[in-house]
Amino acid sequence: MIMPTKNIAKSILCLAICTASPVYAQLEPGSFMTQDGAEITPTLTLGMSSNDNFFNTPSNEESRLIWTITPKVKAAIDDGPDSYTLNLGTSSSLHNKDTVDNFTQVNVGAGIHKEFTSKHRVDVNATADWLYEPRGTGLTEGLADIVDELIKYQQQEVIAGYEYGAPSSKAQVALEAGFYNKKYQNFRETSQYRDYDKSLLGATVYYNTKASTRVLAELKNEDYVYDVLELSGVSRDSETLTALIGFEWDATSLTSGSFKVGYQNKDFSDSQRESFSGLSWEAGVTWQPLTYSTFEFTTSRAAKDPLLEGDYIKESTYRANWTHNWNDYLSTLVGLGYIDEQYTGDVGRKDTTKSARLGLNYNASNYGMISTYVDFIDKNSNQPTIPFDRVIVGINFTFALRANN
């Protein structure tokens, strides 16, 4: 598929004009303290964007103007080494052509960090979200322009972790347990078969080499249980075991990162589905040749559950970002991404997705920031209704309390 070069050229030209002036500074929002000792940090983001292929269709693209309103509040209490956080946020989108696409999402999160001694630490994090699938994704992939209602769903997750060993000790052990639940709220004739629970158990052992590097061995088990059996009578329940070895480092002032490689086995409870057994990896590197310029590279490979068709997807991802602070007020972002997805089962589907982002942040003051961006995506597939290309051009205005200097 060919990218829409005319739109890309216009967008790049627009960004080049913007960055030609004095040119990713981060906004540091201010906060206020309550009488109970809680630090409250509110922010408000107002945005406008233009999407030239709102339904993610291979042809007959429809463009949309979208306005967004995103208020957020973070509350934090620090009690010595312990901390407690609460995050509340909503995101509303308003569209210029059809009010059926207007929606408001809600996000709630809470976290606890507790240090009993220098060797014993516990972290508990929980989130609850009420969300909507973007048109042309999820259950409406390839069908977005013929479905007359947004797909909405709820998800909840709780992750608890325990670490033994002081940061300066030779070895540490980290244990993890979690639970995730996803449930759709409409189109129940179809969506009921995609409601599922996932439980997680994991353990990681670290060995400190005393050279700013830690060697690690990680073992993780994930158990997927779907609420309703499909009409075919073939269960989607599965158990995934991942064993990785690797290292993480912060060896110099220039680079930091981690690399893990190993084996993954995804075994379905129903023998009619094809199981996966093979190579898996996770890696990420941050390179900062200058204090004001940062390069980030990430890659991963794993088998994951498909939402619509197939037994599993063997997914490989590659991403690279470059952020550069031109001064205290102006910064830019260039990002590239590539995803390769191979579907197993009877579908024989193969997808590749190429993406890019160009962004510009300008701190208009110490309590406000302007962000502009251009997003490109080019998705190819051997299935005729899946491929599409899209360009989104947007601008966000973020407001916050004046930061304490």
Side-chain angles (χ1 to χ4, degrees):
M1 178 175 286
I2 300 176
M3 293 283 281
T5 55
K6 183 181 293 185
N7 289 336
I8 293 177
K10 289 181 179 179
S11 302
I12 293 177
L13 176 62
C14 174
L15 188 69
I17 292 173
C18 292
T19 55
S21 49
V23 312
Y24 199 114
Q26 289 289 335
L27 176 66
E28 297 182 2
S31 59
F32 64 90
M33 299 292 295
T34 69
Q35 293 181 347
D36 297 327
E39 183 179 11
I40 310 298
T41 307
T43 59
L44 173 65
T45 300
L46 306 178
M48 182 180 68
S49 63
S50 172
N51 185 333
D52 73 344
N53 189 0
F54 180 71
F55 293 106
N56 294 338
T57 54
S59 60
N60 302 318
E61 296 94 341
E62 181 177 320
S63 61
R64 287 284 180 90
L65 282 176
I66 305 168
W67 293 269
T68 57
I69 305 172
T70 309
K72 295 180 179 180
V73 176
K74 177 182 178 180
I77 298 177
D78 290 328
D79 182 13
D82 304 333
S83 62
Y84 310 86
T85 60
L86 176 65
N87 294 281
L88 305 174
T90 68
S91 178
S92 300
S93 291
L94 307 174
H95 300 73
N96 68 323
K97 289 186 178 180
D98 197 340
T99 57
V100 73
D101 291 310
N102 297 342
F103 64 84
T104 297
Q105 300 187 139
V106 178
N107 309 96
V108 179
I112 298 174
H113 174 77
K114 184 74 174 177
E115 295 191 16
F116 301 98
T117 70
S118 62
K119 293 184 178 181
H120 300 275
R121 298 173 296 280
V122 171
D123 287 278
V124 180
N125 293 283
T127 59
D129 305 299
W130 292 260
L131 305 173
Y132 292 81
E133 288 184 347
R135 290 287 200 166
T137 67
L139 296 182
T140 63
E141 186 177 43
L143 304 171
D145 54 344
I146 62 175
V147 175
D148 59 359
E149 186 179 353
L150 288 173
I151 305 292
K152 55 184 177 180
Y153 65 98
Q154 298 177 4
Q155 63 179 17
Q156 300 86 35
E157 184 174 36
V158 178
I159 299 289
Y162 166 73
E163 291 185 2
Y164 172 76
S168 59
S169 61
K170 199 74 172 179
Q172 298 92 31
V173 177
L175 304 178
E176 184 181 43
F179 177 81
Y180 173 84
N181 169 267
K182 181 177 183 179
K183 184 165 186 172
Y184 285 92
Q185 304 300 297
N186 55 354
F187 290 91
R188 296 301 293 162
E189 288 188 7
T190 301
S191 66
Q192 63 176 325
Y193 304 114
R194 295 301 180 265
D195 298 342
Y196 74 92
D197 300 330
K198 180 181 72 172
S199 57
L200 163 69
L201 289 174
T204 305
V205 178
Y206 299 92
Y207 178 78
N208 196 337
T209 65
K210 301 299 184 182
S212 299
T213 302
R214 294 199 302 175
V215 179
L216 62 89
E218 178 181 290
L219 187 65
K220 182 170 61 176
N221 186 83
E222 296 172 296
D223 193 18
Y224 294 79
V225 178
Y226 285 80
D227 294 353
V228 181
L229 184 66
E230 290 187 289
L231 296 177
S232 64
V234 181
S235 173
R236 302 180 67 87
D237 295 352
S238 67
E239 185 175 6
T240 302
L241 179 66
T242 306
L244 304 174
I245 59 173
F247 55 91
E248 58 183 35
W249 77 97
D250 189 10
T252 71
S253 59
L254 297 180
T255 63
S256 62
S258 65
F259 176 79
K260 296 183 288 186
V261 64
Y263 168 85
Q264 183 185 38
N265 180 75
K266 188 173 185 64
D267 187 26
F268 288 92
S269 61
D270 197 311
S271 60
Q272 296 184 64
R273 294 198 179 274
E274 181 180 346
S275 297
F276 170 78
S277 179
L279 184 67
S280 180
W281 70 73
E282 299 175 17
V285 177
T286 299
W287 177 47
Q288 192 173 23
L290 301 167
T291 58
Y292 48 84
S293 194
T294 304
F295 296 84
E296 296 176 304
F297 308 92
T298 60
T299 179
S300 66
R301 182 185 179 185
K304 70 174 188 178
D305 280 29
L307 192 57
L308 290 177
E309 54 188 353
D311 294 337
Y312 67 85
I313 305 173
K314 186 167 67 175
E315 180 186 72
S316 301
T317 69
Y318 308 88
R319 292 184 177 87
N321 288 325
W322 172 45
T323 58
H324 188 87
N325 292 290
W326 298 93
N327 53 41
D328 292 340
Y329 303 98
L330 211 52
S331 62
T332 53
L333 166 69
V334 179
L336 299 173
Y338 181 81
I339 301 175
D340 180 87
E341 297 173 301
Q342 299 181 31
Y343 288 69
T344 60
D346 298 331
V347 292
R349 173 178 161 184
K350 295 182 179 180
D351 295 354
T352 59
T353 305
K354 293 175 284 186
S355 61
R357 164 168 280 214
L358 303 176
L360 169 69
N361 279 0
Y362 177 69
N363 276 345
S365 65
N366 57 1
Y367 54 92
M369 182 175 68
I370 302 172
S371 304
T372 62
Y373 61 92
V374 186
D375 283 339
F376 312 97
I377 186 169
D378 179 10
K379 182 162 188 172
N380 287 285
S381 176
N382 59 0
Q383 304 296 310
T385 62
I386 303 302
F388 70 90
D389 51 48
R390 184 185 69 207
V391 178
I392 298 177
V393 181
I395 183 169
N396 290 325
F397 301 89
T398 301
F399 305 94
L401 297 177
R402 183 185 295 271
N404 297 320
N405 295 322

